[in-house]
Amino acid sequence: MRAESFNAAFSSGVRTIQRPLSSSIFGVTKPKLIAATPSKSSRFTRISIRCAVHFRPCIDIHKGKVKQIVGSTLSDSKEDGSALVTNFVSDKSAAEYAKMYKEDGLTGGHVIMLGADPLSRAAAIEALHAYPGGLQVGGGINSDNSLRYIEEGASHVIVTSYVFNNGKMDLERLKDLVSVVGKERLVLDLSCRKREGKYAIVTDRWQKFSDVYLDEEILDFLANYADEFLVHGVDVEGKKLGIDEELVALLGKHSPMPLERCRTEP
């Protein structure tokens, strides 16, 4: 993350101040150091702070439009979309957002197709063309189409339902994906909901529970096949309830690799 600066007032006799800070990112505490040196013309001191948090943008596409919806209200059985809870519909295209993120130098963001309809696929590809190599893409990804999205400009493909199929992890499909696009271009979406006190990975637009639960063992195992994990806390996502602190603590404690933690609210 870019260094942020701010001014702090100190007494005129202070030359240099150094003190340790505790920075907790996903539950991992690391020492940090602040160094402050007063300017000659002022008793105000400029302090530079570096932080491990990296902001990543998100473009959710539903029926060709950029939207922010309550993801858990998506349902295959209601094709007219009347049951959807929609927080926001943008008048800008996915490609316009992609251009904006490129101009601002934001990397590692993603485009998610909430439904494999032609309008959403076309909008996603336009966004990838607008920011080649700057966005990941997810939604209906499998071993047959994954390489096409890489060729269209995606830095990574994001996969859930294809790997966690019919409630179980399909290791052969996972290995097949790695052989097609490579571990370094694969992001596993481990979005989850709480069931019986544990976090179960959910698939098919978060409608179906799998029998795979997030813990140290499964995170260590899956890290062998992916470059990153993407995790939505489905129980709170889009509901303006803040983050799922228990889930964040679990991930911070046990994940052996980079995490993309999403909370998409306007």
Side-chain angles (χ1 to χ4, degrees):
M1 184 178 180
R2 299 171 185 168
E4 301 291 342
S5 298
F6 64 91
N7 289 326
F10 294 94
S11 64
S12 58
V14 175
R15 294 292 181 181
T16 302
I17 293 178
Q18 289 187 319
R19 62 187 178 89
L21 292 180
S22 176
S23 175
S24 180
I25 305 298
F26 294 122
V28 179
T29 301
K30 297 181 180 179
K32 286 190 176 291
L33 195 66
I34 284 184
T37 305
S39 66
K40 295 180 180 179
S41 59
S42 172
R43 57 188 297 228
F44 290 94
T45 301
R46 184 168 295 278
I47 299 176
S48 180
I49 295 180
R50 297 184 182 277
C51 180
V53 173
H54 180 195
F55 175 78
R56 296 192 180 196
C58 172
I59 304 171
D60 284 348
I61 303 173
H62 182 251
K63 298 187 183 300
K65 297 286 188 179
V66 177
K67 300 181 182 180
Q68 201 289 309
I69 66 174
V70 178
S72 57
T73 64
L74 280 166
S75 175
D76 292 334
S77 62
K78 299 178 179 63
E79 296 181 356
D80 62 359
S82 60
L84 283 177
V85 177
T86 303
N87 290 329
F88 177 74
V89 180
S90 178
D91 58 359
K92 293 182 172 60
S93 69
E96 287 178 277
Y97 280 104
K99 290 175 184 176
M100 185 190 312
Y101 300 151
K102 181 180 180 181
E103 291 170 358
D104 290 341
L106 297 174
T107 59
H110 62 241
V111 182
I112 300 295
M113 297 171 282
L114 301 174
D117 59 280
L119 288 176
S120 294
R121 287 198 298 269
I125 289 174
E126 287 176 2
L128 297 178
H129 290 174
Y131 192 2
L135 294 168
Q136 304 169 358
V137 66
I141 303 296
N142 55 51
S143 58
D144 292 330
N145 63 20
S146 55
L147 189 58
R148 178 196 172 195
Y149 286 105
I150 297 295
E151 292 170 345
E152 294 286 359
S155 65
H156 297 68
V157 290
I158 304 169
V159 180
T160 308
S161 301
Y162 183 71
V163 170
F164 300 97
N165 183 42
N166 292 323
K168 299 186 180 298
M169 180 167 58
D170 191 323
L171 187 55
E172 291 306 311
R173 285 188 172 188
L174 178 56
K175 290 180 177 178
D176 192 29
L177 274 168
V178 172
S179 70
V180 173
V181 299
K183 174 182 181 291
E184 70 280 1
R185 291 187 178 273
L186 182 61
V187 176
L188 286 177
D189 184 344
L190 308 182
S191 296
C192 55
R193 300 179 70 176
K194 205 167 189 180
R195 183 170 68 174
E196 298 178 354
K198 298 184 292 183
Y199 287 97
I201 296 172
V202 287
T203 66
D204 300 286
R205 286 163 294 285
W206 302 341
Q207 298 172 55
K208 299 178 182 178
F209 281 91
S210 75
D211 64 0
V212 182
Y213 292 87
L214 294 187
D215 57 24
E216 183 175 10
E217 182 179 2
I218 196 66
L219 290 170
D220 280 342
F221 176 78
L222 292 175
N224 295 308
Y225 298 95
D227 192 46
E228 294 179 359
F229 296 145
L230 166 64
V231 183
H232 292 80
V234 177
D235 292 321
V236 300
E237 194 276 338
K239 299 178 182 178
K240 305 175 185 176
L241 297 175
I243 66 172
D244 187 331
E245 294 184 11
E246 184 179 349
L247 173 59
V248 171
L250 182 154
L251 295 170
K253 182 178 181 180
H254 295 306
S255 178
M257 64 190 303
L259 287 160
E260 187 175 347
R261 172 69 173 86
C262 284
R263 173 173 156 254
T264 51
E265 296 182 6

